[in-house]
Amino acid sequence: MSNTILEFKNLVTEFHTEGTTVKAVNDISFKLSQGETIGIVGESGSGKSVTALSSMRLIPSPPGEITGGKIIFHNSLGEKIDLLSLSESEIRKYRGNDIAMIFQEPMTSLNPVFTCGNQVLEAIMLHQNLNKREAEALTIKLFDEVQLPDPKRIYSTYPHQISGGQKQRVMIAMAMSCQPAVLIADEPTTALDVTVQKTILELMQKLQREHNMGIMFITHDLGVIAELADKVVVMYKGKI
């Protein structure tokens, strides 16, 4: 837990609604190191998810806008990149590649008309210079790594044909496909039952140890944070 990998400096994200401006994230600063898990906790509307979406530059605009601060990514060459100063085409190189995100509800994150394997394969071919056969082999290897039963069968199934826990494992495989330096998990176990939750959390810890990732884990469950996090950021009304 030495090297800083992602740094939030005085981040301000606002939403403009009819006649009013809401500062969803209001001047927050914290650092994430390699191999470290930061738990971001707070009630609904405290700014947890907006913080995560800001780092991926996925704030819907309008009505949202990042109006202040910096988000500095420290790459493997020791360079410091301010993600907020990049153009849309430049940020795409980092999004999913260096910084990946697992969303709260796997059913809405996976496309129902494509097989699970195809969706991970697409992410791999987008970011890595692999042909289709190599990408397919890597996808099946990832499904095995996230402990999906019968990875070859899951590769050709559609999201509605598998359970919620298995869908979340497919999402984790997709997020891990480019071996990101930072993994953002936005309440990834909320929709799952308690026993499945436990296995998903253990899986994330295992992958973190193997890849030395920094994890930002967003939740309102302090029990999960007690198990998982090295450091806790508590948010309330957009502030820490």
Side-chain angles (χ1 to χ4, degrees):
M1 269 187 235
S2 51
N3 305 339
T4 298
I5 200 157
L6 195 64
E7 206 174 341
F8 290 77
K9 290 183 172 180
N10 309 107
L11 177 68
V12 181
T13 304
E14 301 179 341
F15 285 83
H16 307 287
T17 54
E18 291 167 18
T20 61
T21 296
V22 176
K23 287 191 177 179
V25 170
N26 189 0
D27 193 31
I28 68 165
S29 303
F30 64 91
K31 291 179 182 179
L32 174 69
S33 300
Q34 275 182 324
E36 177 182 55
T37 300
I38 284 188
I40 301 185
V41 294
E43 61 191 44
S44 295
S46 60
K48 308 184 300 292
S49 295
V50 174
T51 302
L53 291 169
S54 297
S55 62
M56 297 281 282
R57 293 266 303 275
L58 290 173
I59 296 292
S61 174
E65 186 187 5
I66 299 170
T67 56
K70 293 179 176 181
I71 300 176
I72 311 287
F73 175 68
H74 299 243
N75 71 12
S76 54
L77 304 171
E79 298 165 334
K80 297 179 182 181
I81 297 107
D82 180 7
L83 299 175
L84 303 184
S85 68
L86 300 178
S87 68
E88 186 52 44
S89 60
E90 287 170 329
I91 190 71
R92 280 197 202 118
K93 295 173 194 163
Y94 294 92
R95 191 191 290 146
N97 201 10
D98 294 297
I99 304 173
M101 189 160 175
I102 307 167
F103 293 94
Q104 188 167 350
E105 181 42 81
M107 195 64 232
T108 54
S109 305
L110 290 168
N111 190 325
V113 301
F114 292 106
T115 63
C116 296
N118 251 329
Q119 297 186 58
V120 179
L121 177 104
E122 185 186 30
I124 290 169
M125 291 182 74
L126 188 67
H127 289 292
Q128 297 183 49
N129 196 15
L130 298 178
N131 64 36
K132 192 168 182 188
R133 183 177 292 177
E134 291 167 332
E136 190 173 312
L138 179 56
T139 301
I140 290 167
K141 180 173 174 285
L142 282 162
F143 282 179
D144 187 45
E145 203 176 313
V146 298
Q147 297 158 6
L148 276 163
D150 196 354
K152 283 185 178 169
R153 180 183 66 80
I154 300 268
Y155 182 91
S156 51
T157 58
Y158 290 88
H160 71 271
Q161 296 174 309
I162 58 177
S163 72
Q166 289 172 340
K167 282 196 263 287
Q168 199 57 291
R169 286 170 192 269
V170 171
M171 287 299 299
I172 292 171
M174 195 185 296
M176 294 299 301
S177 63
C178 297
Q179 299 195 351
V182 177
L183 182 65
I184 300 170
D186 188 359
E187 306 211 17
T189 57
T190 301
L192 309 174
D193 68 53
V194 177
T195 48
V196 179
Q197 254 187 41
K198 189 174 189 312
T199 58
I200 294 288
L201 295 174
E202 285 169 356
L203 170 65
M204 287 178 67
Q205 286 177 304
K206 172 179 172 283
L207 294 171
Q208 180 180 37
R209 285 193 298 273
E210 287 170 5
H211 300 281
N212 200 25
M213 289 183 302
I215 294 180
M216 271 170 62
F217 196 97
I218 296 164
T219 183
H220 54 257
D221 187 337
L222 283 167
V224 168
I225 287 301
E227 286 279 303
L228 209 64
D230 303 298
K231 202 156 75 180
V232 184
V233 170
V234 182
M235 291 191 71
Y236 179 67
K237 290 187 178 175
K239 283 191 171 288
I240 292 176

Short mmCIF file of all heavy atoms in Angstrom, two decimals, residues 65-108:
data_model
loop_
_atom_site.label_atom_id
_atom_site.label_comp_id
_atom_site.label_asym_id
_atom_site.label_seq_id
_atom_site.Cartn_x
_atom_site.Cartn_y
_atom_site.Cartn_z
N GLU A 65 -22.50 18.28 -14.49
CA GLU A 65 -21.28 18.92 -14.98
C GLU A 65 -20.23 18.91 -13.88
O GLU A 65 -20.54 19.20 -12.72
CB GLU A 65 -21.60 20.37 -15.37
CG GLU A 65 -20.46 21.11 -16.02
CD GLU A 65 -20.79 22.60 -16.22
OE1 GLU A 65 -21.86 23.06 -15.78
OE2 GLU A 65 -19.93 23.27 -16.81
N ILE A 66 -19.01 18.51 -14.23
CA ILE A 66 -17.89 18.61 -13.28
C ILE A 66 -17.34 20.02 -13.39
O ILE A 66 -16.84 20.42 -14.44
CB ILE A 66 -16.81 17.56 -13.59
CG1 ILE A 66 -17.39 16.14 -13.48
CG2 ILE A 66 -15.62 17.70 -12.64
CD1 ILE A 66 -16.49 15.05 -14.00
N THR A 67 -17.46 20.80 -12.32
CA THR A 67 -17.13 22.23 -12.42
C THR A 67 -15.84 22.61 -11.70
O THR A 67 -15.40 23.76 -11.81
CB THR A 67 -18.28 23.09 -11.85
OG1 THR A 67 -18.54 22.68 -10.50
CG2 THR A 67 -19.55 22.94 -12.66
N GLY A 68 -15.25 21.69 -10.95
CA GLY A 68 -14.02 22.08 -10.25
C GLY A 68 -13.21 20.88 -9.82
O GLY A 68 -13.70 19.76 -9.75
N GLY A 69 -11.93 21.13 -9.58
CA GLY A 69 -11.05 20.09 -9.04
C GLY A 69 -10.33 19.29 -10.11
O GLY A 69 -10.43 19.56 -11.31
N LYS A 70 -9.61 18.28 -9.64
CA LYS A 70 -8.84 17.40 -10.51
C LYS A 70 -9.02 15.96 -10.06
O LYS A 70 -9.23 15.71 -8.87
CB LYS A 70 -7.34 17.75 -10.44
CG LYS A 70 -6.99 19.11 -11.00
CD LYS A 70 -5.50 19.39 -10.88
CE LYS A 70 -5.14 20.72 -11.54
NZ LYS A 70 -3.71 21.01 -11.44
N ILE A 71 -8.94 15.04 -11.02
CA ILE A 71 -8.84 13.61 -10.69
C ILE A 71 -7.58 13.12 -11.39
O ILE A 71 -7.52 13.05 -12.62
CB ILE A 71 -10.08 12.83 -11.15
CG1 ILE A 71 -11.34 13.38 -10.48
CG2 ILE A 71 -9.91 11.35 -10.80
CD1 ILE A 71 -12.64 12.73 -10.95
N ILE A 72 -6.55 12.85 -10.59
CA ILE A 72 -5.23 12.51 -11.14
C ILE A 72 -5.04 10.99 -11.13
O ILE A 72 -5.14 10.36 -10.08
CB ILE A 72 -4.09 13.15 -10.31
CG1 ILE A 72 -4.34 14.64 -10.07
CG2 ILE A 72 -2.73 12.90 -10.97
CD1 ILE A 72 -4.15 15.53 -11.24
N PHE A 73 -4.77 10.43 -12.31
CA PHE A 73 -4.44 9.01 -12.42
C PHE A 73 -2.93 8.86 -12.57
O PHE A 73 -2.32 9.51 -13.42
CB PHE A 73 -5.16 8.39 -13.63
CG PHE A 73 -4.79 6.96 -13.88
CD1 PHE A 73 -5.15 5.96 -12.97
CD2 PHE A 73 -4.06 6.60 -15.00
CE1 PHE A 73 -4.80 4.64 -13.19
CE2 PHE A 73 -3.69 5.27 -15.23
CZ PHE A 73 -4.07 4.29 -14.32
N HIS A 74 -2.32 8.04 -11.73
CA HIS A 74 -0.87 7.80 -11.79
C HIS A 74 -0.65 6.51 -12.58
O HIS A 74 -0.99 5.43 -12.09
CB HIS A 74 -0.28 7.65 -10.38
CG HIS A 74 -0.46 8.86 -9.51
ND1 HIS A 74 0.61 9.58 -9.01
CD2 HIS A 74 -1.56 9.49 -9.04
CE1 HIS A 74 0.15 10.60 -8.28
NE2 HIS A 74 -1.16 10.56 -8.28
N ASN A 75 -0.13 6.62 -13.78
CA ASN A 75 0.00 5.40 -14.60
C ASN A 75 1.27 4.63 -14.25
O ASN A 75 2.08 5.06 -13.42
CB ASN A 75 -0.09 5.72 -16.10
CG ASN A 75 1.13 6.47 -16.63
OD1 ASN A 75 2.16 6.58 -15.96
ND2 ASN A 75 1.02 6.99 -17.84
N SER A 76 1.45 3.47 -14.90
CA SER A 76 2.57 2.57 -14.56
C SER A 76 3.93 3.17 -14.92
O SER A 76 4.96 2.71 -14.44
CB SER A 76 2.39 1.23 -15.28
OG SER A 76 2.23 1.45 -16.66
N LEU A 77 3.95 4.22 -15.76
CA LEU A 77 5.22 4.86 -16.14
C LEU A 77 5.58 6.00 -15.18
O LEU A 77 6.57 6.70 -15.36
CB LEU A 77 5.13 5.42 -17.56
CG LEU A 77 4.77 4.42 -18.66
CD1 LEU A 77 4.49 5.13 -19.98
CD2 LEU A 77 5.87 3.38 -18.82
N GLY A 78 4.71 6.20 -14.17
CA GLY A 78 4.97 7.28 -13.21
C GLY A 78 4.44 8.63 -13.65
O GLY A 78 4.69 9.65 -13.00
N GLU A 79 3.69 8.65 -14.77
CA GLU A 79 3.11 9.92 -15.24
C GLU A 79 1.81 10.20 -14.49
O GLU A 79 1.11 9.27 -14.08
CB GLU A 79 2.81 9.83 -16.74
CG GLU A 79 4.04 9.60 -17.60
CD GLU A 79 3.70 9.16 -19.01
OE1 GLU A 79 2.63 8.57 -19.23
OE2 GLU A 79 4.53 9.40 -19.90
N LYS A 80 1.52 11.49 -14.32
CA LYS A 80 0.28 11.90 -13.66
C LYS A 80 -0.65 12.52 -14.70
O LYS A 80 -0.30 13.50 -15.33
CB LYS A 80 0.57 12.92 -12.55
CG LYS A 80 1.44 12.38 -11.44
CD LYS A 80 1.72 13.44 -10.39
CE LYS A 80 2.64 12.89 -9.30
NZ LYS A 80 2.90 13.89 -8.25
N ILE A 81 -1.82 11.90 -14.87
CA ILE A 81 -2.77 12.37 -15.89
C ILE A 81 -4.02 12.90 -15.20
O ILE A 81 -4.65 12.17 -14.42
CB ILE A 81 -3.14 11.21 -16.85
CG1 ILE A 81 -1.91 10.73 -17.60
CG2 ILE A 81 -4.20 11.65 -17.87
CD1 ILE A 81 -1.40 9.40 -17.16
N ASP A 82 -4.37 14.14 -15.50
CA ASP A 82 -5.62 14.69 -14.98
C ASP A 82 -6.75 14.23 -15.90
O ASP A 82 -6.89 14.70 -17.03
CB ASP A 82 -5.56 16.22 -14.93
CG ASP A 82 -6.86 16.84 -14.39
OD1 ASP A 82 -7.74 16.07 -13.93
OD2 ASP A 82 -6.99 18.07 -14.41
N LEU A 83 -7.56 13.30 -15.41
CA LEU A 83 -8.61 12.70 -16.24
C LEU A 83 -9.65 13.74 -16.68
O LEU A 83 -10.30 13.58 -17.70
CB LEU A 83 -9.31 11.57 -15.46
CG LEU A 83 -8.40 10.40 -15.05
CD1 LEU A 83 -9.18 9.41 -14.19
CD2 LEU A 83 -7.81 9.69 -16.25
N LEU A 84 -9.78 14.81 -15.90
CA LEU A 84 -10.79 15.82 -16.23
C LEU A 84 -10.35 16.74 -17.37
O LEU A 84 -11.17 17.47 -17.94
CB LEU A 84 -11.13 16.66 -14.99
CG LEU A 84 -11.64 15.88 -13.77
CD1 LEU A 84 -12.05 16.83 -12.66
CD2 LEU A 84 -12.80 14.95 -14.13
N SER A 85 -9.06 16.71 -17.69
CA SER A 85 -8.58 17.60 -18.76
C SER A 85 -8.51 16.88 -20.11
O SER A 85 -8.17 17.49 -21.12
CB SER A 85 -7.19 18.14 -18.40
OG SER A 85 -6.24 17.08 -18.42
N LEU A 86 -8.83 15.59 -20.14
CA LEU A 86 -8.72 14.82 -21.39
C LEU A 86 -9.94 15.04 -22.28
O LEU A 86 -11.04 15.30 -21.80
CB LEU A 86 -8.60 13.33 -21.08
CG LEU A 86 -7.40 12.88 -20.22
CD1 LEU A 86 -7.46 11.39 -19.98
CD2 LEU A 86 -6.08 13.25 -20.88
N SER A 87 -9.72 14.88 -23.58
CA SER A 87 -10.85 14.94 -24.53
C SER A 87 -11.64 13.64 -24.42
O SER A 87 -11.18 12.66 -23.83
CB SER A 87 -10.33 15.10 -25.96
OG SER A 87 -9.67 13.90 -26.35
N GLU A 88 -12.81 13.60 -25.04
CA GLU A 88 -13.67 12.40 -24.98
C GLU A 88 -12.96 11.18 -25.57
O GLU A 88 -13.04 10.08 -25.03
CB GLU A 88 -14.99 12.68 -25.72
CG GLU A 88 -16.03 11.57 -25.60
CD GLU A 88 -16.34 11.10 -24.18
OE1 GLU A 88 -16.50 11.94 -23.27
OE2 GLU A 88 -16.42 9.87 -23.97
N SER A 89 -12.24 11.38 -26.68
CA SER A 89 -11.54 10.23 -27.29
C SER A 89 -10.37 9.77 -26.42
O SER A 89 -10.06 8.58 -26.35
CB SER A 89 -11.06 10.58 -28.70
OG SER A 89 -10.16 11.67 -28.65
N GLU A 90 -9.71 10.71 -25.74
CA GLU A 90 -8.58 10.34 -24.88
C GLU A 90 -9.05 9.59 -23.63
O GLU A 90 -8.41 8.62 -23.21
CB GLU A 90 -7.80 11.60 -24.45
CG GLU A 90 -6.99 12.22 -25.56
CD GLU A 90 -6.43 13.60 -25.19
OE1 GLU A 90 -7.06 14.34 -24.40
OE2 GLU A 90 -5.35 13.93 -25.70
N ILE A 91 -10.16 10.02 -23.04
CA ILE A 91 -10.63 9.37 -21.80
C ILE A 91 -11.05 7.94 -22.08
O ILE A 91 -10.93 7.06 -21.22
CB ILE A 91 -11.78 10.17 -21.12
CG1 ILE A 91 -12.10 9.62 -19.71
CG2 ILE A 91 -13.05 10.17 -21.94
CD1 ILE A 91 -11.07 9.86 -18.66
N ARG A 92 -11.48 7.66 -23.31
CA ARG A 92 -11.89 6.28 -23.66
C ARG A 92 -10.75 5.28 -23.53
O ARG A 92 -10.98 4.11 -23.28
CB ARG A 92 -12.43 6.24 -25.09
CG ARG A 92 -13.86 6.72 -25.18
CD ARG A 92 -14.52 6.29 -26.49
NE ARG A 92 -15.65 7.18 -26.75
CZ ARG A 92 -15.75 7.97 -27.80
NH1 ARG A 92 -14.80 8.01 -28.70
NH2 ARG A 92 -16.81 8.74 -27.95
N LYS A 93 -9.51 5.76 -23.71
CA LYS A 93 -8.35 4.86 -23.57
C LYS A 93 -8.18 4.41 -22.13
O LYS A 93 -7.65 3.34 -21.86
CB LYS A 93 -7.08 5.58 -24.04
CG LYS A 93 -7.06 5.92 -25.51
CD LYS A 93 -5.84 6.77 -25.84
CE LYS A 93 -5.96 7.42 -27.21
NZ LYS A 93 -5.03 8.54 -27.38
N TYR A 94 -8.62 5.24 -21.19
CA TYR A 94 -8.47 4.91 -19.77
C TYR A 94 -9.70 4.19 -19.22
O TYR A 94 -9.59 3.30 -18.39
CB TYR A 94 -8.23 6.19 -18.95
CG TYR A 94 -6.91 6.85 -19.28
CD1 TYR A 94 -6.83 7.83 -20.26
CD2 TYR A 94 -5.74 6.45 -18.63
CE1 TYR A 94 -5.61 8.42 -20.58
CE2 TYR A 94 -4.53 7.04 -18.95
CZ TYR A 94 -4.46 8.02 -19.92
OH TYR A 94 -3.25 8.59 -20.25
N ARG A 95 -10.87 4.58 -19.71
CA ARG A 95 -12.13 4.04 -19.20
C ARG A 95 -12.27 2.58 -19.63
O ARG A 95 -12.26 2.27 -20.82
CB ARG A 95 -13.28 4.86 -19.78
CG ARG A 95 -14.64 4.59 -19.15
CD ARG A 95 -15.73 5.25 -19.95
NE ARG A 95 -15.72 6.71 -19.85
CZ ARG A 95 -16.06 7.53 -20.84
NH1 ARG A 95 -16.40 7.05 -22.01
NH2 ARG A 95 -16.05 8.84 -20.66
N GLY A 96 -12.36 1.69 -18.66
CA GLY A 96 -12.47 0.26 -18.97
C GLY A 96 -11.13 -0.41 -19.09
O GLY A 96 -10.99 -1.61 -18.89
N ASN A 97 -10.11 0.38 -19.40
CA ASN A 97 -8.77 -0.18 -19.59
C ASN A 97 -7.96 -0.06 -18.30
O ASN A 97 -7.53 -1.07 -17.72
CB ASN A 97 -8.08 0.57 -20.73
CG ASN A 97 -6.95 -0.22 -21.34
OD1 ASN A 97 -6.78 -1.40 -21.05
ND2 ASN A 97 -6.15 0.42 -22.17
N ASP A 98 -7.76 1.16 -17.83
CA ASP A 98 -7.02 1.40 -16.58
C ASP A 98 -7.96 1.53 -15.38
O ASP A 98 -7.59 1.20 -14.25
CB ASP A 98 -6.18 2.68 -16.69
CG ASP A 98 -5.08 2.55 -17.72
OD1 ASP A 98 -4.20 1.69 -17.51
OD2 ASP A 98 -5.09 3.26 -18.73
N ILE A 99 -9.15 2.07 -15.62
CA ILE A 99 -10.14 2.25 -14.55
C ILE A 99 -11.43 1.57 -15.00
O ILE A 99 -12.03 1.97 -16.00
CB ILE A 99 -10.41 3.75 -14.28
CG1 ILE A 99 -9.09 4.46 -13.96
CG2 ILE A 99 -11.40 3.92 -13.14
CD1 ILE A 99 -9.23 5.97 -13.85
N ALA A 100 -11.81 0.53 -14.29
CA ALA A 100 -13.00 -0.23 -14.67
C ALA A 100 -14.04 -0.11 -13.57
O ALA A 100 -13.73 0.18 -12.42
CB ALA A 100 -12.64 -1.69 -14.90
N MET A 101 -15.30 -0.35 -13.94
CA MET A 101 -16.39 -0.17 -12.98
C MET A 101 -17.36 -1.34 -13.03
O MET A 101 -17.69 -1.83 -14.11
CB MET A 101 -17.12 1.15 -13.29
CG MET A 101 -18.11 1.55 -12.23
SD MET A 101 -18.47 3.34 -12.37
CE MET A 101 -19.74 3.53 -11.14
N ILE A 102 -17.77 -1.79 -11.85
CA ILE A 102 -18.85 -2.78 -11.75
C ILE A 102 -20.06 -2.04 -11.21
O ILE A 102 -19.99 -1.40 -10.17
CB ILE A 102 -18.49 -3.91 -10.76
CG1 ILE A 102 -17.13 -4.54 -11.09
CG2 ILE A 102 -19.56 -4.98 -10.76
CD1 ILE A 102 -16.60 -5.42 -9.98
N PHE A 103 -21.17 -2.16 -11.92
CA PHE A 103 -22.36 -1.40 -11.53
C PHE A 103 -23.25 -2.20 -10.59
O PHE A 103 -23.11 -3.39 -10.42
CB PHE A 103 -23.12 -0.95 -12.78
CG PHE A 103 -22.36 0.04 -13.61
CD1 PHE A 103 -21.56 -0.37 -14.67
CD2 PHE A 103 -22.40 1.39 -13.29
CE1 PHE A 103 -20.84 0.54 -15.42
CE2 PHE A 103 -21.68 2.32 -14.04
CZ PHE A 103 -20.90 1.89 -15.10
N GLN A 104 -24.21 -1.48 -10.04
CA GLN A 104 -25.05 -2.00 -8.97
C GLN A 104 -25.95 -3.15 -9.42
O GLN A 104 -26.10 -4.13 -8.73
CB GLN A 104 -25.92 -0.83 -8.47
CG GLN A 104 -26.72 -1.13 -7.24
CD GLN A 104 -27.28 0.16 -6.64
OE1 GLN A 104 -26.90 1.25 -7.05
NE2 GLN A 104 -28.15 0.05 -5.70
N GLU A 105 -26.55 -3.01 -10.58
CA GLU A 105 -27.56 -3.98 -11.00
C GLU A 105 -27.10 -4.66 -12.29
O GLU A 105 -27.18 -4.08 -13.37
CB GLU A 105 -28.89 -3.24 -11.20
CG GLU A 105 -30.07 -4.10 -11.62
CD GLU A 105 -30.18 -5.43 -10.91
OE1 GLU A 105 -30.69 -5.49 -9.78
OE2 GLU A 105 -29.74 -6.45 -11.50
N PRO A 106 -26.58 -5.90 -12.19
CA PRO A 106 -26.01 -6.54 -13.38
C PRO A 106 -26.99 -6.73 -14.53
O PRO A 106 -26.62 -6.70 -15.68
CB PRO A 106 -25.50 -7.89 -12.86
CG PRO A 106 -26.19 -8.11 -11.56
CD PRO A 106 -26.49 -6.76 -11.01
N MET A 107 -28.29 -6.90 -14.19
CA MET A 107 -29.28 -7.14 -15.26
C MET A 107 -29.39 -5.94 -16.19
O MET A 107 -29.57 -6.08 -17.40
CB MET A 107 -30.64 -7.45 -14.63
CG MET A 107 -31.64 -8.05 -15.61
SD MET A 107 -31.14 -9.67 -16.22
CE MET A 107 -31.26 -9.45 -17.98
N THR A 108 -29.27 -4.72 -15.64
CA THR A 108 -29.37 -3.54 -16.51
C THR A 108 -28.03 -3.19 -17.14
O THR A 108 -27.97 -2.40 -18.07
CB THR A 108 -29.89 -2.33 -15.71
OG1 THR A 108 -29.06 -2.13 -14.57
CG2 THR A 108 -31.32 -2.53 -15.24
#
